[in-house]
Amino acid sequence: MRNLYAVIPSCCRREELTNLVNVLVSDNVTVVVVDTGYEEPLWESGGWWGKRNVVLDHEQPKNISRWWNRGLDTVAQAATWHPADDYVVAVLNDDIIVRPGFVPALADAIFRHDVAAAAPDVWGWVNERVYTDPVGAPMPGFAFALRGSKNLRADESLVWWYGDNDLSWQAMQAGGLVTVPG
């Protein structure tokens, strides 16, 4: 069983975040919430023995690429405890609704196709599609998954826009991106 993680930047959506985290935890996904401005703490971190973890980033100006990297770096540090195991980390918006099995399906597609990233198919294709050319469909910024061993990071100079496109291009250059229907 490969280790599954999720990074979720979040502020001011406690109910939506809680619903999302509950689905992920039920799928055995370890969650890292990047708290980007909650006034009251979300929950006490259980450390890496818990499934719900919080990293604070109330720094200004707001920068979603920095938030993604804070979470990705936190997961990479935890993954060094099992260096022989590759892992998948999903990067998710706090207001999306996912069904059980969402992150495991993305991870499964990454390893079956031996690619660097996966994303839900927002284009409506019936089958999984692998992209290796940046002209292909970019992954949506609200939900995607990265293969840990590829060590992809967001370009923090792209403060709010196009960070997802840049990561999509990096993934295609690092072995490909698969879109997963459903």
Side-chain angles (χ1 to χ4, degrees):
M1 182 83 192
R2 300 197 197 292
N3 292 320
L4 302 178
Y5 300 91
V7 169
I8 309 168
S10 183
C11 178
C12 311
R13 292 188 175 127
R14 191 177 299 267
E15 183 178 348
E16 294 91 337
L17 175 66
T18 299
N19 293 337
L20 175 59
V21 168
N22 287 340
V23 170
L24 296 172
V25 169
S26 72
D27 279 341
N28 203 31
V29 176
T30 300
V31 177
V32 175
V33 174
V34 180
D35 175 342
T36 66
Y38 281 94
E39 290 183 21
E40 292 185 30
L42 289 168
W43 52 73
E44 292 299 317
S45 174
W48 279 107
W49 303 114
K51 287 291 183 183
R52 295 171 176 89
N53 305 276
V54 178
V55 174
L56 294 177
D57 186 334
H58 293 193
E59 186 178 326
Q60 295 294 327
K62 293 181 178 237
N63 181 329
I64 196 166
S65 295
R66 184 184 69 237
W67 298 336
W68 289 345
N69 287 343
R70 288 287 310 272
L72 292 169
D73 290 343
T74 300
V75 168
Q77 183 180 11
T80 62
W81 296 347
H82 305 284
D85 297 336
D86 203 354
Y87 63 93
V88 169
V89 56
V91 178
L92 308 171
N93 279 11
D94 63 357
D95 61 347
I96 65 170
I97 299 169
V98 300
R99 67 177 188 274
F102 179 77
V103 172
L106 294 177
D108 180 60
I110 285 173
F111 291 113
R112 270 189 297 104
H113 294 283
D114 193 24
V115 295
D121 174 20
V122 297
W123 310 104
W125 301 109
V126 177
N127 300 310
E128 292 178 354
R129 296 184 80 161
V130 175
Y131 297 89
T132 56
D133 185 339
V135 177
M139 60 190 182
F142 61 83
F144 56 90
L146 303 173
R147 188 176 194 153
S149 62
K150 298 299 182 177
N151 201 33
L152 302 179
R153 294 296 182 271
D155 179 344
E156 293 184 23
S157 72
L158 302 173
V159 175
W160 203 255
W161 303 103
Y162 306 113
D164 51 341
N165 295 76
D166 181 63
L167 277 169
S168 179
W169 296 336
Q170 288 182 52
M172 289 182 214
Q173 292 172 339
L177 161 70
V178 61
T179 54
V180 180

